[in-house]
Amino acid sequence: MVALQVASVLAAPAESLVDSLGAKRSVFELSDDLVSTPGGFFLRSKVHAVPEGALVAHDKDVIHIISSNGTTLHTSTFTPSNGVGCHNISPAARRSAQFKEGYVVTPSWHNTGPSPVASFTTTWKVPPIPETVDGQILYLFNSIEPNTFQSVIQPVLQFGTTPAGGGDYWAIASWFVVGSDVFYTPLTQVSPGRSLTGVITLQQTMKDLDTGNITGFIYNSVFKGVPISSLTISVGDELTWLQESLEIHGPTQPSKLPRGKTVMGSINIMNQDGQIPNVTWSPCNFTGVTDTADGFCLVVKDIDSRRNYTPVPTVATEPVVE
């Protein structure tokens, strides 16, 4: 069911473009209280570890972490945010002056059909270690979020130190951002060159027994073959926006990014009705899938026309080998 490939050049920026970005700093120097997550910067007190096997349940005004034996381990009050994911990023926030942090390539697709997305998988290889390691944080992931943009679930490959842990190496975990709270699974270190498959599935659609109306959805995020990365969530909204993302926090020069090209490939999407949808990957929020000012580019390859996927036009500031 291989459908298309997304290739993002991680270390294409020319030195001259980033020389003017100012003095280097650690991503944690923004504030003692703010920490980097795959959903952006959040208050440290609002970032929570999820034990293996636990469920994160968002029920209207509260969010619970519920253990596998049914015990409530933590409760947060749901506080709406300005929106998570690249849909809340203005065009100005993607210019060269913001090279140090944020989404730099993010194509998205919106499922507007009657059947929810039941499965969304992506395979990619762990990139090399950056030539220069100096506190930067890098994220690569596929993700899905609702029309409200108040949450996102994502199997994430990270480089650097985040609230989940980490260091000068690549590691994986699943993350769930909802409103102003962030939840993550235990971290697992992975080596450059390893093939990863991020899997997001709709496990259950919940319905009112009397009316038959849909009352919620249960989703799961996991890296194939790494069960400790499994994160199950219960939400009221259907997740409809699918993304493939490269997010960076802290790099101030090209050597702080991995060299070469990372292919987000073997992207498979199936709806709950068993049908493979027609998919057109589009720029996110009209800000573009490509940060041309910094030399990042993204290529979507349609390698199986039977699946009716439409490729995003290639945009690049330098030649891209396809």
Side-chain angles (χ1 to χ4, degrees), residues 23-316:
K24 67 181 181 180
R25 57 144 176 83
S26 165
V27 295
F28 290 111
E29 290 176 8
L30 287 176
S31 167
D32 290 339
D33 295 325
L34 290 176
V35 292
S36 169
T37 79
F41 285 92
F42 284 78
L43 290 172
R44 189 185 303 273
S45 61
K46 303 288 281 183
V47 182
H48 317 284
V50 180
E52 187 174 5
L55 167 75
V56 179
H58 177 204
D59 183 12
K60 297 179 181 178
D61 295 331
V62 294
I63 310 162
H64 302 290
I65 300 178
I66 303 172
S67 71
S68 56
N69 65 9
T71 302
T72 299
L73 304 176
H74 172 84
T75 298
S76 295
T77 299
F78 172 70
T79 304
S81 69
N82 292 326
V84 300
C86 72
H87 298 275
N88 194 46
I89 301 175
S90 65
R94 295 175 60 84
R95 300 187 184 279
S96 184
Q98 295 297 320
F99 175 76
K100 290 193 279 282
E101 48 206 308
Y103 290 78
V104 288
V105 282
T106 303
S108 65
W109 172 66
H110 185 206
N111 178 30
T112 58
S115 182
V117 170
S119 177
F120 174 30
T121 67
T122 303
T123 298
W124 69 98
K125 288 187 177 180
V126 180
I129 300 295
E131 296 174 10
T132 301
V133 177
D134 188 23
Q136 71 268 43
I137 297 175
L138 315 174
Y139 299 111
L140 279 165
F141 53 85
N142 56 312
S143 64
I144 185 167
E145 55 189 290
N147 289 337
T148 62
F149 305 126
Q150 283 297 311
S151 66
V152 60
I153 187 169
Q154 49 206 146
V156 178
L157 171 67
Q158 72 170 55
F159 180 87
T161 302
T162 73
D168 298 340
Y169 53 83
W170 293 99
I172 55 175
S174 287
W175 295 70
F176 177 48
V177 182
V178 53
S180 299
D181 284 82
V182 183
F183 302 85
Y184 62 88
T185 66
L187 204 62
T188 300
Q189 184 172 349
V190 292
S191 300
R194 175 173 173 174
S195 180
L196 302 173
T197 298
V199 181
I200 302 172
T201 54
L202 172 58
Q203 295 187 326
Q204 183 180 347
T205 299
M206 297 176 287
K207 296 184 178 181
D208 185 285
L209 295 178
D210 296 324
T211 65
N213 294 332
I214 294 176
T215 58
F217 303 85
I218 296 178
Y219 290 89
N220 178 266
S221 169
V222 68
F223 279 96
K224 185 177 180 180
V226 188
I228 199 172
S229 68
S230 178
L231 177 60
T232 302
I233 64 169
S234 172
V235 293
D237 294 325
E238 176 188 345
L239 304 185
T240 58
W241 282 95
L242 286 67
Q243 300 173 17
E244 303 283 354
S245 301
L246 163 64
E247 182 182 352
I248 64 174
H249 293 241
T252 56
Q253 60 192 55
S255 65
K256 295 183 181 180
L257 296 168
R259 295 293 179 180
K261 180 188 298 183
T262 295
V263 176
M264 307 290 280
S266 300
I267 300 174
N268 298 313
I269 303 167
M270 181 173 287
N271 288 344
Q272 196 175 42
D273 60 8
Q275 298 299 307
I276 298 173
N278 294 326
V279 172
T280 299
W281 293 97
S282 303
C284 185
N285 196 29
F286 306 105
T287 60
V289 296
T290 300
D291 182 355
T292 54
D294 288 321
F296 290 98
C297 62
L298 177 141
V299 181
V300 176
K301 299 180 182 179
D302 186 359
I303 62 175
D304 189 346
S305 60
R306 294 172 299 173
R307 301 305 180 190
N308 297 319
Y309 286 80
T310 302
V312 174
T314 299
V315 182

Side-chain angles (χ1 to χ4, degrees), residues 4-17:
L4 55 85
Q5 293 181 327
V6 179
S8 58
V9 175
L10 297 182
E15 282 284 356
S16 58
L17 290 175

